[in-house]
Amino acid sequence: MAKSDLYKSFIALMNGDATISGIIGTEAVHAQVAMLDRTGEQGKPAIVYDASSDTPEYGFDGRGAAGERLNSVSLDVYAVHDTFTDSLALIEAVEDAMEGWSGTTSTIDVSKAFKVEGSDAFVEIEEGLEFPRRAHTQAWVVWYRTIA
């Protein structure tokens, strides 16, 4: 339950950011890397994420503000757009939003998000698409705790 709430919180963060919304509109955040191909067919910019580490239950040895154990999830984030420059602007907006990500919902408390050093990459998505797409990617680690 907490994991899906973490993803909902990520989607709300992306959709609630004014810079990101100005580039992609709202409701353009997808949860599966397989969506990369579909975003190309739509011809619209989008943010796609995938949990590369989808087992947060193991916990993180660090301690939260109240001394409780923190869970850790790795997210790969793709900023998809038509050109290199546009996808770069989108991933920079994602990075700005992610760097300040923290807060509490009814079931989770996001403590911190940080970008994995050296994880920036650029990919071209062309196979089988009428309009080739470009995507900048970043890997992030999010620390959170479950609220009982």
Side-chain angles (χ1 to χ4, degrees), residues 23-24 44-46 79-83 86-87 90 132-135:
I23 297 171
I24 68 172
K44 297 180 183 177
V80 183
H81 214 303
D82 293 323
T83 68
D86 291 338
S87 67
L90 183 55
R133 309 289 285 160
R134 277 74 180 160

Side-chain angles (χ1 to χ4, degrees), residues 82-138:
D82 293 323
T83 68
F84 176 92
T85 305
D86 291 338
S87 67
L88 179 61
L90 183 55
I91 201 69
E92 288 173 347
V94 168
E95 184 171 350
D96 289 345
M98 291 287 289
E99 285 178 343
W101 187 19
S102 66
T104 304
T105 67
S106 61
T107 58
I108 63 166
D109 178 24
V110 174
S111 176
K112 182 178 182 176
F114 62 93
K115 185 173 75 165
V116 176
E117 191 68 32
S119 68
D120 291 82
F122 174 75
V123 295
E124 293 197 51
I125 309 160
E126 296 182 2
E127 193 170 320
L129 298 181
E130 182 178 349
F131 303 103
R133 309 289 285 160
R134 277 74 180 160
H136 278 83
T137 69
Q138 294 178 339

Side-chain angles (χ1 to χ4, degrees), residues 29-97:
V29 180
H30 304 284
Q32 301 167 348
V33 171
M35 293 294 292
L36 284 171
D37 292 340
R38 291 186 219 158
T39 59
E41 290 169 7
Q42 294 170 3
K44 297 180 183 177
I47 296 169
V48 179
Y49 72 96
D50 185 41
S52 58
S53 167
D54 202 12
T55 53
E57 294 77 24
Y58 64 82
F60 173 72
D61 289 337
R63 300 289 173 184
E68 64 276 0
R69 207 172 172 133
L70 295 176
N71 294 314
S72 173
V73 161
S74 297
L75 292 176
D76 295 323
V77 181
Y78 299 78
V80 183
H81 214 303
D82 293 323
T83 68
F84 176 92
T85 305
D86 291 338
S87 67
L88 179 61
L90 183 55
I91 201 69
E92 288 173 347
V94 168
E95 184 171 350
D96 289 345

Side-chain angles (χ1 to χ4, degrees), residues 1-2 5-6 104-109 144-148:
M1 180 63 140
D5 289 338
L6 178 73
T104 304
T105 67
S106 61
T107 58
I108 63 166
D109 178 24
Y144 73 96
R145 70 179 177 88
T146 302
I147 300 172

